[in-house]
Amino acid sequence: MPHLTGGGGTRPTASGDRLPVTGAGRVRFGVPGYAHPLLAPVEWAELARPGTPLHWAVLNVAEGPGARPDPHCVEAVRRLGGARVRVLGHLDLAYGTRPFGEIVSDAVRFLDWYRVGGFFLDRCPADRADLPEVRRVTAALRAELAAGRDSGLAAGQDGGTVAGRDGGHLVLGHGTHPYPGYAENADQLVTFSGPWTDYRWSQAAEWTADYPPERFVHLVHGIPRTHLDEALRIARWQGAGTVFFTDRTGWNAPFETLPGYWDEIVSRVGPGVSE
């Protein structure tokens, strides 16, 4: 497998050129959603630890923002805001079947109640036919984030999150390589989400080589400790700048707790500063 070579080499772009690949690319963590702060207090506390190379963390109160503000989640987000950690609200697109109005309504509640710095659009469709509706959704979310920034709700004041510095952050949670046009409608795309048994044999779509690594996210569960270096090499070879790797397994909620080797993987990736 050529993508397992750790130092040097090239990868092709869609135009036929070749880009250099090294094992020293900057990789940071994206946390797709820990359990509720009452159930996972250690996990939420770790997110605020200084020096953790964290890109963002997702807040999922109750498959969205919930019916009313949750004081435990408000406090968790306040602490992360004080540590300059970007928090994204979890929005479920249900593979394109969820009504536009429901999505925007959830986004507004996330902004009003938790001052999030962007959104993670889970179960985002990936086909070309669904692109116009996803573009409509992302445009509406950008407008809501801008309105929150202008009103000061997401400007990082009073312990809030960091959205106000750049207008917010959108991640499309496809879990697979989508039609290339989706790359123009979000800050990042999740192009892999699944088990290590699939990831270790995966390949990046050729068109992704025309974009920098910070545009792509890989979420992988079931990685044995002995394969951490291999997993990081795959991420770098495939051009993913944000990852979450865990040894937890199962399809229900493998990402809701800390990996058993959290300290080790943090030390391997190296210290960083959240945006």
Side-chain angles (χ1 to χ4, degrees):
M1 293 185 295
H3 61 278
L4 296 186
T5 57
T10 62
R11 63 190 179 104
T13 67
S15 62
D17 299 327
R18 300 189 72 82
L19 298 177
V21 176
T22 71
R26 175 73 181 270
V27 174
R28 290 181 294 173
F29 298 123
V31 179
Y34 285 147
H36 190 280
L38 278 179
L39 301 177
V42 174
E43 282 78 358
W44 283 94
E46 277 294 317
L47 294 182
R49 186 170 69 173
T52 302
L54 190 64
H55 197 171
W56 41 258
V58 176
L59 175 67
N60 187 1
V61 181
E63 296 304 318
R68 61 186 59 83
D70 184 312
H72 303 288
C73 292
V74 170
E75 176 61 17
V77 174
R78 186 194 66 78
R79 290 179 179 176
L80 293 184
R84 307 305 292 167
V85 173
R86 185 194 302 273
V87 178
L88 307 180
H90 178 278
L91 299 175
D92 185 3
L93 267 59
Y95 301 113
T97 65
R98 193 150 180 247
F100 173 83
E102 286 186 10
I103 298 169
V104 175
S105 178
D106 275 1
V108 171
R109 288 199 292 272
F110 265 123
L111 287 168
D112 287 349
W113 297 345
Y114 303 108
R115 302 186 177 189
V116 295
F119 299 101
F120 184 96
L121 282 63
D122 199 10
R123 299 201 294 171
C124 184
D127 295 336
R128 182 174 185 174
D130 294 303
L131 178 57
E133 183 62 17
V134 173
R135 182 183 294 120
R136 179 188 179 207
V137 169
T138 57
L141 297 181
R142 295 283 191 200
E144 294 295 341
L145 284 162
R149 176 193 62 208
D150 293 341
S151 67
L153 289 179
Q157 60 189 35
D158 299 327
T161 58
V162 296
R165 292 186 298 156
D166 58 8
H169 192 82
L170 297 182
V171 179
L172 300 184
H174 307 285
T176 187
H177 288 95
Y179 175 71
Y182 283 92
E184 305 305 321
N185 293 276
D187 299 286
Q188 290 187 298
L189 310 179
V190 179
T191 53
F192 184 92
S193 180
W196 167 243
T197 50
D198 291 341
Y199 187 62
R200 67 183 311 187
W201 303 109
S202 65
Q203 296 287 340
E206 187 176 339
W207 63 264
T208 63
D210 286 335
Y211 294 88
E214 56 263 28
R215 300 296 303 280
F216 301 106
V217 182
H218 291 173
L219 309 174
V220 191
H221 59 80
I223 303 177
R225 181 188 301 269
T226 53
H227 289 278
L228 272 178
D229 285 338
E230 182 181 353
L232 287 168
R233 287 198 300 269
I234 293 173
R236 286 165 174 149
W237 171 256
Q238 294 193 17
T242 301
V243 303
F244 189 79
F245 293 161
T246 181
D247 52 349
R248 310 306 184 189
T249 59
W251 288 102
N252 289 333
F255 300 122
E256 286 195 354
T257 60
L258 278 175
Y261 42 60
W262 175 251
D263 288 339
E264 181 175 346
I265 193 173
V266 167
S267 67
R268 292 191 189 198
V269 171
V273 178
S274 302
E275 289 187 350

